[in-house]
Amino acid sequence: MPSVSLEYPTKPFSKVNRYDSRASYSLETIHQIINSCPILHVSFTTPDSPFPMMLPMIGQMGSFDRPSADTGDVLDLYLHGYVSSRIMNLTRQGGDDSGGTKTEGGGMPLTIGASHVDGLVLALTPNSHSYNYRSAVLFGHATLVTELDEKNYAMELITNSVVRDRWRNSRVPPNKAEMGSTSILRVKVAAGSAKIRTGMPSDEKADLADEALLDRVWTGVIPVQLSMGEPLPGPYNRVEKLPAYLEEGRRDFNAWNEEAAVEAANKAMAPKAKSEET
Amino acid sequence: MPSVSLEYPTKPFSKVNRYDSRASYSLETIHQIINSCPILHVSFTTPDSPFPMMLPMIGQMGSFDRPSADTGDVLDLYLHGYVSSRIMNLTRQGGDDSGGTKTEGGGMPLTIGASHVDGLVLALTPNSHSYNYRSAVLFGHATLVTELDEKNYAMELITNSVVRDRWRNSRVPPNKAEMGSTSILRVKVAAGSAKIRTGMPSDEKADLADEALLDRVWTGVIPVQLSMGEPLPGPYNRVEKLPAYLEEGRRDFNAWNEEAAVEAANKAMAPKAKSEET
């Protein structure tokens, strides 16, 4: 546990300008949002398109040099996913000047987004509707992990993020072919920010003074959560009873997410800089 | 309903190169993924940063000219969200040549990503683990909607996507101040693609021949879904009984998502081009 709460530096590209009372630059907050998001959206520019590329990937914050590091410590983001060769090739080229993709301090510039919806905030008027949500964006430079030990560390980290304790309960370590066919990116984080909305609806004064409206429109929060359903054994499964680590992992996942959604609804909302809310 | 199934053109930047048997360019498929995603990740480049910007936004596919259009028809993407003034200013500048952001055919180039996790695919070995998922990426040019009727159309479309039928059950239409403070982007879509994984785990032959491994490791799919919890009335709510449209909307949302996750697990997997799966 770090003795001070660390924050990412605010850069022109990472500063939250709107509703900045909802912004956070805390490593702990940002890393927790990233780590609990099952799919991250990874974006980068290519020399041949006006559109940034975007790929869904799986990722976790970690420290290979200090595996016991806390969520609030300085960490790298390890990425793994359904990657076309495009991103891997660009990353390999990252160190040289062959492409149009600018590199700073080595590595390819990536932007990573993670968002959770915690609730639907239903107000008197559409303009005051909102979500309770937690979202984070990280900016950093990605390089391919080539060292086997680090690759193995990242694969274990990511596998256990999908289902707690799954790594040691499956066939490990990966063999040489598996290690060779797996690509892991290490992102050195340059900046990051989070934005969080909690609380109940907040309507405008004029609407709150409208008695007929208050009598007619239900207002409140419908909590939203990601949940795991009943496990479905596959065609060659022979383990009849669902192992305890899977059942407990699933139960905790559902309980934690439900609690987070309800807590978000009941937590006070950060004061707004402006009266509008949509 | 269009008489033929429309597809987006495959552009160099939109073509799916890996596991292309899982790719789809169908408008219907892509639009459904976008429409059912509560948060979209929107990315764009700025002249002053090597990192693409990324913002979580709310959006829906629609056609202002032909509101009765089918999901599989040619549609625009309407976006609304927690937008710093940055994106709106860049969009306003989109038509001229003042900035470094390239524009083609008017409007600012945006990339929009949407992803759903439908299940955790637990295989014998970490390398064969996967998600069942549906993800889509759209590439298009965004301009600010200035016409009031179109803005109103988009606001209704987006509000009703959050909770079915909410628009007419709240205080509408928005007043002049609300209309003025709301910014809506219309994205003309240039290209798009989707990627979908369904089915049970698929392990390598060597692992499937390992009897001890089969006896030890549970394999199958844990369905994952987004679900709505028990509605929580807000501090000034006076409507004691939850209105039927909210209760039914919630029930259908949960039932549909549960069904989708279980169906995805039980549906055959698209054949892979390569044997690897991670």
Side-chain angles (χ1 to χ4, degrees), chain A residues 18 43 52 82 111 115 123-124 127 129-130 166 171 182 203 207 211 218-219 221 223 225 227 229 232 236 238, chain B residues 41 43 52 82-83 111 123-124 127 129-130 166 171 182 203 207 211 218 221 223 225 227 229 232 234 236 238:
Chain A
R18 202 190 192 202
S43 183
Y82 304 88
T111 303
S115 301
L124 294 170
N127 281 60
H129 276 60
S130 190
R166 180 68 181 172
R171 197 268 293 147
T182 304
D203 274 288
D207 291 307
E211 301 287 333
W218 188 92
T219 50
V221 170
Q225 62 165 106
S227 54
L232 306 166
Y236 48 84
R238 292 188 191 168
Chain B
H41 286 85
S43 183
Y82 304 88
V83 180
T111 303
L124 293 170
N127 282 61
H129 276 61
S130 190
R166 180 69 181 171
R171 197 269 292 148
T182 304
D203 272 289
D207 291 307
E211 302 287 332
W218 188 91
V221 170
Q225 61 164 104
S227 53
L232 307 166
Y236 48 84
R238 293 188 192 169

Side-chain angles (χ1 to χ4, degrees), chain A residues 95 101 121 212:
Chain A
T101 302
V121 181

Side-chain angles (χ1 to χ4, degrees), chain A residues 12-13 15 17-19 22 38-39 41-45 49-54 56 58 80-84 86 104 109-117 120 122-127 129-131 133 135 137 139-141 155 159 162-163 166-172 174 178 181-182 190 195 200-203 207-208 211 213-239 241-243 246 250 262 265 276 278, chain B residues 12-13 15 17-19 22 38-39 41-45 49-54 56 58 80-84 86 104 109-117 120 122-127 129-131 133 135 137 139-141 155 159 162-163 166-172 174 178 181-182 190 195 200-203 207-208 211 213-239 242-243 246 250 262 265 276 278:
Chain A
F13 53 84
K15 178 143 186 3
N17 293 315
R18 202 190 192 202
Y19 297 150
R22 295 180 183 171
I39 293 189
H41 286 84
V42 179
S43 183
F44 56 98
T45 59
S49 165
F51 302 105
M53 301 305 306
M54 200 183 291
I58 307 179
H80 176 252
Y82 304 88
V83 180
S84 76
R86 207 182 277 139
E104 281 178 11
L110 292 186
T111 303
I112 300 100
S115 301
H116 301 271
V117 184
L120 314 178
L122 306 185
L124 294 170
T125 170
N127 281 60
H129 276 60
S130 190
Y131 283 151
Y133 67 96
S135 75
V137 182
F139 306 88
H141 294 92
M155 287 162 75
T159 302
V162 173
V163 182
R166 180 68 181 172
W167 180 263
R168 67 185 183 89
N169 284 293
S170 62
R171 197 268 293 147
V172 284
E178 290 170 335
S181 70
T182 304
K195 236 173 141 180
M200 285 287 170
S202 163
D203 274 288
D207 291 307
L208 288 170
E211 301 287 333
L213 183 62
L214 285 166
D215 284 340
R216 178 169 69 84
V217 177
W218 188 92
T219 50
V221 170
I222 302 183
V224 171
Q225 62 165 106
L226 211 53
S227 54
M228 294 190 194
E230 210 56 57
L232 306 166
Y236 48 84
N237 175 62
R238 292 188 191 168
V239 181
K241 191 177 165 343
L242 193 73
L246 287 179
R250 175 174 164 264
V262 172
E276 65 178 329
T278 25
Chain B
F13 53 83
K15 182 150 183 352
N17 292 316
R18 200 187 192 203
Y19 297 151
R22 295 179 183 171
I39 292 189
H41 286 85
V42 178
S43 183
F44 56 97
T45 58
S49 166
F51 302 105
M53 301 306 305
M54 199 183 293
I58 307 180
H80 176 252
Y82 304 88
V83 180
S84 76
R86 209 181 277 140
E104 281 177 12
L110 291 187
T111 303
I112 300 101
S115 301
H116 301 272
V117 184
L120 314 178
L122 306 186
L124 293 170
T125 170
N127 282 61
H129 276 61
S130 190
Y131 282 151
Y133 68 97
S135 74
V137 182
F139 305 89
H141 294 93
M155 286 162 77
T159 303
V162 173
V163 181
R166 180 69 181 171
W167 181 263
R168 67 185 182 90
N169 284 294
S170 62
R171 197 269 292 148
V172 283
E178 289 170 337
S181 70
T182 304
K195 236 174 141 180
M200 285 287 170
S202 163
D203 272 289
D207 291 307
L208 289 170
E211 302 287 332
L213 183 62
L214 285 167
D215 285 340
R216 178 170 69 85
V217 177
W218 188 91
T219 50
V221 170
I222 302 183
V224 171
Q225 61 164 104
L226 211 54
S227 53
M228 294 189 195
E230 211 57 58
L232 307 166
Y236 48 84
N237 175 62
R238 293 188 192 169
V239 181
L242 193 73
L246 286 179
R250 174 174 166 263
V262 172
E276 66 176 329
T278 28

Side-chain angles (χ1 to χ4, degrees), chain A residues 21 71 85-86 132-133 155 159 170 204-205 247 273:
Chain A
S21 57
T71 321
S85 52
R86 207 182 277 139
N132 281 334
Y133 67 96
M155 287 162 75
T159 302
S170 62
E204 300 293 331
K205 269 189 185 167
E247 187 49 40

